[in-house]
Amino acid sequence: MTESNPARPAHHAAPDARVDTARYDYDVAIVGAGPTGLALAGWLARRGGTRALRVALIDSREPDASLGDPRALALSHGSRMLLEPLGWPVEATPIERIHVSQRGYFGRTVIERNEHGVPALGYVVRYGMLVHALATAVRATGCDWIGSSVARAPQQDEHGVSLPIEPVGTPSVPDGDAGAAAPQRIVRARLVVNAEGGVYHEAASTRLAAGQHARRDYRQTALVAVVSVSTPQPRVAWERFTREGPLALLPLGGPRQADYALVWCCDPAQAARRMPLSDARWLDELQWAFGDRMGRFEKVGARAAFPLGLNALTALTDRRIASIGNAAQTLHPVAGQGLNLGLRDVHALVDALAHHGPEPAALRAFAARRALDRRVTITATDVLARAFTVDFAPLAALRGLALGALDLVPPVKTTLARQMMFGQRR
Ligand SMILES: Cc1cc2nc3c(=O)[nH]c(=O)nc-3n(C[C@H](O)[C@H](O)[C@H](O)COP(=O)(O)OP(=O)(O)OC[C@H]3O[C@@H](n4cnc5c(N)ncnc54)[C@H](O)[C@@H]3O)c2cc1C
């Protein structure tokens, strides 16, 4: 993330005099009020002043529905800087040390906060609490919040986009079935931002992102739950590579600082077998997979499963439509990069809109600025997700050497840590 402030005064190009802007309900319609859509709406509202853009936020679910989402997210220091002025959950747990190792083989590395001159390497927040905090802030800005979903593919013309939406609960109408009766409404906007999140499944499609995707099925499922341990190490996060996939434990605080958010990436058949196990059996298997570095696993809360894959759009923009966050790239959760990368999309788009106004030039500038960071982060995540699951002893030895070498070559470790915290700047 660059360190420039996206709230700086707008100096975008004068609007094209030939465009009758009154024909458009909004300058920007954002589809999806997840963390990236909310952060974008929040920053556009903060920019404010007489040149404030007219913004709509469209989502099919109420923000408080996210409170039941079991995910906890590790957000970088850079992400915190972007979110804090908008809405930041009180219960954010700082990470001061990250311990990386592989199960069954030697080699490990430790990344320390004080090696990098930042108050924390990252912060752990619950997905639902973050959405709640951002949504409360965005609602207070007076941004139009529309409780609907996209009904059909949008139509684009020279000056704007017509987006057919329908209220939540309306039966879906296939594209092209124009005669079917449905209480639809058309939102007209100069630009549309696709922030509707992503899916890993090959079959799933979205009406807003019709372009080509790079896809990979990792044949892994993430089991997610809050667990408690007997010998906690406060503010330490763990990433342990196992033969089935990476296993992460993120500190959540709680009584005795003993609660951790678990992301356990397993073979899908093993994940399906583990989901219904009794708590005691589940904790035993987790103990076997993680080891005893934090004593005994004592308790597990509600569990959820997420199938994992890579799904990245080849082109971020299609004339007057841009994609950000998971809608642009859905990644494996290894190293917790997904939302951090998505928030850097937001930052770049806010900057581009400030310079160019709600015109395709803004989207072209946005796409150009995001190319390098996207490529590096998507590739690094993809390699990490696959490299550590190969159970071939010489390769495991090499991985162990590479992890150990990181401790001996500080500049390489610093570069890696900075990529995780800030991404590629340009
Ligand atoms: C197990 C797991 C662990 C993770 N851990 C981390 C981590 O540690 N750090 C990190 O940075 N990232 C992590 N991620 C990734 C992170 O969750 C995502 O990158 C982030 O949620 C993306 O935010 P978003 O706003 O782009 O999309 P989403 O969070 O998916 O939100 C999309 C929104 O769009 C709405 N929507 C969808 N379709 C429509 C439609 N047609 N019309 C209207 N609204 C619609 C949805 O209701 C939703 O509110 C993890 C992911 C998983 C699965």
Side-chain angles (χ1 to χ4, degrees), residues 19-26 54 157 159-161 188-190:
V19 182
D20 175 10
T21 51
R23 275 186 54 215
Y24 296 94
D25 310 310
Y26 301 101
R54 298 164 301 160
D157 62 32
H159 300 303
V161 185
R188 291 190 173 78
R190 304 292 310 284

Side-chain angles (χ1 to χ4, degrees), residues 116-133:
H116 302 285
V118 285
L121 291 167
Y123 301 86
V124 185
V125 299
R126 294 184 193 240
Y127 179 95
M129 300 301 281
L130 177 65
V131 167
H132 180 77

Side-chain angles (χ1 to χ4, degrees), residues 31-37 58-61 66 71-75 127 148-150 195-198 200 222 224 250 263 306 308 324-327 329 331 333 335-341:
V31 181
T36 59
I58 302 166
D59 200 307
S60 45
R61 68 176 178 184
S66 306
R71 256 174 299 177
L73 309 171
L75 294 184
Y127 179 95
S148 293
S149 62
V150 177
E196 63 179 19
Y200 296 116
V224 173
L250 304 173
V263 182
F306 294 81
L308 301 181
I324 59 169
N326 268 33
Q329 61 271 320
L331 310 180
Q337 288 299 294
L339 182 54
N340 291 303
L341 184 65

Side-chain angles (χ1 to χ4, degrees), residues 31-32 34-37 61 69 71 73 75 127 193-201 206 209 213-215 306-313 316 322-333 336-346 366 370 374 378:
V31 181
T36 59
R61 68 176 178 184
D69 193 305
R71 256 174 299 177
L73 309 171
L75 294 184
Y127 179 95
V193 178
N194 171 17
E196 63 179 19
V199 277
Y200 296 116
H201 317 288
T206 153
H213 297 245
R215 287 200 167 101
F306 294 81
L308 301 181
L310 166 68
N311 187 356
L313 271 174
L316 279 185
S323 297
I324 59 169
N326 268 33
Q329 61 271 320
T330 302
L331 310 180
H332 191 291
Q337 288 299 294
L339 182 54
N340 291 303
L341 184 65
L343 290 171
R344 299 199 292 268
D345 293 342
V346 171
F366 156 72
R370 294 303 298 133
R374 280 189 90 217
I378 292 171

